[in-house]
Amino acid sequence: MDKVPLNLSPEEESLLESLEQQNNWDGYPICKFQGFWLPFWLFHPLLCFQRNFKARDTDIMLSSMPKSGTTWMKALLFVIANRNQFPIDQSPLLVNSSHKLVKSLECDYYMEHDNPDLETLPQPRVLSTHLPHQALASSLIDSKCKIVYICRNPLDQFISEQHFFLKNRLWPNATVCPLDESFGMYCDGVHAFGPFCDHLLGYWNASLENPDRVLFLKYEDLKRDSLSEIKKIAEFVGLPFSEEEEKAGLVGEISKLCSFDKLKDLEVNKKGVHYGTITNNSFYRKGGVGDWVNHLTPEMADRMKKLLEAKLTGSGLMLDI
Ligand code: PAP
């Protein structure tokens, strides 16, 4: 296997060697750590994040499984949190990728530096992560910061990720497994940040225990009724829309600015690249609900339904697939 620098200390190297290891379905190595599958290159950043991150009560943290609506939620949270600073028609979102405006703790900040200076970021800090709830830094759990979690129909999420992997190689010479094999691994929970059911349940249970700290959202609800969901998000993060803002139609303007069609058509998202090699346009594919029917068999969907029944029954969490 080709080597990518992992920046491990000798102790981290022996810890990594002691862990169960597999290849993700696009060929990059993952290890099972703290109950979930983590890409090798995030091992050191994760440990640094857990060791060094200092949460603030005013922080807004977006959490998600990859391909669940992260790009969309980053755009919405950025615009909601900064709406007094930038009028909609001058939003930095018009010329920057939402991944640049809202960076990931493990994939950006702690990937670039063991102890990045996050104190100088404008408040409220809007941050993001794909890590499961149990892997969050204790400072984050102990603070009063707001966590917004977005989930998506796992079948659509899986298909979205498969397309993303076919378009972008995250590891040198990686080969994406055939669809049925990848789907089997996904259902078995062997995939980056998975098992996805545990990821969902971790945040779901946290939202039940602390509803004012964790907001659990669904991509499909956001698609169906963007305006209500945007108002719900703003209220949750402590930045509700005023009567004047509502009367002026600001919620609708934010919804339009962050819509799939608008963002996909921006020059920055048509042409730019992220992390050096990932094309910005690969974060905008179809942006719909139910595309899985074009790729997966009814038997595969049935397997997922049974899996969700087995894992989610009794939790109160319902996913309409
Ligand atoms: P990430 O976790 O790697 O950042 P993420 O943004 O969660 O990816 O997922 C990308 C999916 O969100 C794509 O779905 P698709 O493959 O089924 O099309 C992408 O099209 C969709 N997406 C991106 N931006 C938006 C948006 N503004 N509205 C709706 N869907 C969007």
Side-chain angles (χ1 to χ4, degrees), residues 64-75 99 130 150 152 156-157 159-161 163-164 219 223 258-261 263-264 282-288 291:
S64 60
M65 281 293 295
K67 308 301 155 205
S68 297
T70 319
T71 312
W72 192 8
M73 279 303 306
K74 282 184 175 185
H99 292 285
H130 284 322
I150 183 151
R152 189 179 190 187
D156 281 340
Q157 183 205 341
I159 288 302
S160 180
E161 190 151 35
H163 279 95
F164 184 81
Y219 180 98
K223 272 299 237 194
C258 299
S259 68
F260 178 80
D261 290 338
L263 294 182
K264 187 184 164 96
S282 58
F283 291 99
Y284 300 90
R285 193 181 60 94
K286 288 193 167 176
D291 183 44

Side-chain angles (χ1 to χ4, degrees), residues 90-147:
Q90 290 164 34
S91 175
L93 193 61
L94 294 164
V95 286
N96 290 282
S97 147
S98 56
H99 292 285
K100 192 170 164 200
L101 297 173
V102 176
K103 292 191 175 178
S104 157
L105 284 166
E106 70 279 8
C107 299
D108 293 304
Y109 291 121
Y110 288 91
M111 178 72 100
E112 285 157 16
H113 202 284
D114 287 2
N115 196 2
D117 180 12
L118 305 179
E119 294 303 309
T120 50
L121 292 179
Q123 290 212 50
R125 301 186 300 188
V126 186
L127 305 162
S128 92
T129 184
H130 284 322
L131 295 171
H133 190 264
Q134 80 266 18
L136 296 181
S138 53
S139 146
L140 221 153
I141 300 291
D142 298 339
S143 77
K144 293 197 181 82
C145 81
K146 302 284 187 181
I147 300 176

Side-chain angles (χ1 to χ4, degrees), residues 4-18:
V4 163
L6 301 177
N7 298 324
L8 300 177
S9 68
E11 293 78 28
E12 289 170 352
E13 204 156 328
S14 56
L15 178 57
L16 179 61
E17 269 165 29
S18 72

Side-chain angles (χ1 to χ4, degrees), residues 32-290:
K32 195 155 197 191
F33 185 58
Q34 298 178 341
F36 73 104
W37 289 100
L38 181 72
F40 267 30
W41 69 84
L42 293 180
F43 189 58
H44 180 72
L46 168 75
L47 295 173
C48 292
F49 160 65
Q50 292 183 335
R51 201 180 302 134
N52 297 328
F53 182 68
K54 303 268 177 301
R56 286 188 182 171
D57 289 347
T58 49
D59 286 344
I60 300 170
M61 171 71 62
L62 165 64
S63 296
S64 60
M65 281 293 295
K67 308 301 155 205
S68 297
T70 319
T71 312
W72 192 8
M73 279 303 306
K74 282 184 175 185
L76 285 170
L77 287 172
F78 176 84
V79 175
I80 290 169
N82 293 287
R83 65 185 191 267
N84 290 332
Q85 206 183 335
F86 306 110
I88 296 297
D89 59 355
Q90 290 164 34
S91 175
L93 193 61
L94 294 164
V95 286
N96 290 282
S97 147
S98 56
H99 292 285
K100 192 170 164 200
L101 297 173
V102 176
K103 292 191 175 178
S104 157
L105 284 166
E106 70 279 8
C107 299
D108 293 304
Y109 291 121
Y110 288 91
M111 178 72 100
E112 285 157 16
H113 202 284
D114 287 2
N115 196 2
D117 180 12
L118 305 179
E119 294 303 309
T120 50
L121 292 179
Q123 290 212 50
R125 301 186 300 188
V126 186
L127 305 162
S128 92
T129 184
H130 284 322
L131 295 171
H133 190 264
Q134 80 266 18
L136 296 181
S138 53
S139 146
L140 221 153
I141 300 291
D142 298 339
S143 77
K144 293 197 181 82
C145 81
K146 302 284 187 181
I147 300 176
V148 178
Y149 183 76
I150 183 151
C151 78
R152 189 179 190 187
N153 175 347
L155 296 174
D156 281 340
Q157 183 205 341
F158 167 76
I159 288 302
S160 180
E161 190 151 35
Q162 181 83 3
H163 279 95
F164 184 81
F165 285 156
L166 288 169
K167 215 164 170 187
N168 299 286
R169 292 286 177 273
L170 305 188
W171 193 262
N173 305 322
T175 318
V176 181
C177 293
L179 190 74
D180 53 345
E181 216 177 291
S182 322
F183 187 70
M185 289 178 71
Y186 186 65
C187 289
D188 290 340
V190 183
H191 56 96
F193 307 102
F196 67 88
C197 280
D198 295 352
H199 204 284
L200 289 166
L201 283 173
Y203 284 98
W204 172 253
N205 290 332
S207 77
L208 295 182
E209 280 160 30
N210 284 302
D212 52 338
R213 290 263 346 266
V214 184
L215 178 67
F216 193 97
L217 299 172
K218 294 179 182 166
Y219 180 98
E220 294 75 16
D221 291 341
L222 208 53
K223 272 299 237 194
R224 198 167 28 239
D225 189 357
S226 304
L227 300 188
S228 307
E229 294 296 295
I230 291 171
K231 282 198 259 181
K232 194 200 283 184
I233 296 164
E235 211 164 300
F236 173 77
V237 299
L239 303 166
F241 291 100
S242 66
E243 221 172 285
E244 294 74 52
E245 285 180 320
E246 290 214 29
K247 269 195 203 138
L250 185 63
V251 186
E253 282 184 43
I254 291 178
S255 170
K256 251 188 238 156
L257 171 65
C258 299
S259 68
F260 178 80
D261 290 338
K262 173 77 185 176
L263 294 182
K264 187 184 164 96
D265 265 356
L266 294 175
E267 234 20 57
V268 60
N269 294 326
K270 280 202 260 188
K271 296 218 172 106
V273 288
H274 192 61
Y275 300 130
T277 55
I278 300 176
T279 55
N280 283 347
N281 70 13
S282 58
F283 291 99
Y284 300 90
R285 193 181 60 94
K286 288 193 167 176
V289 172

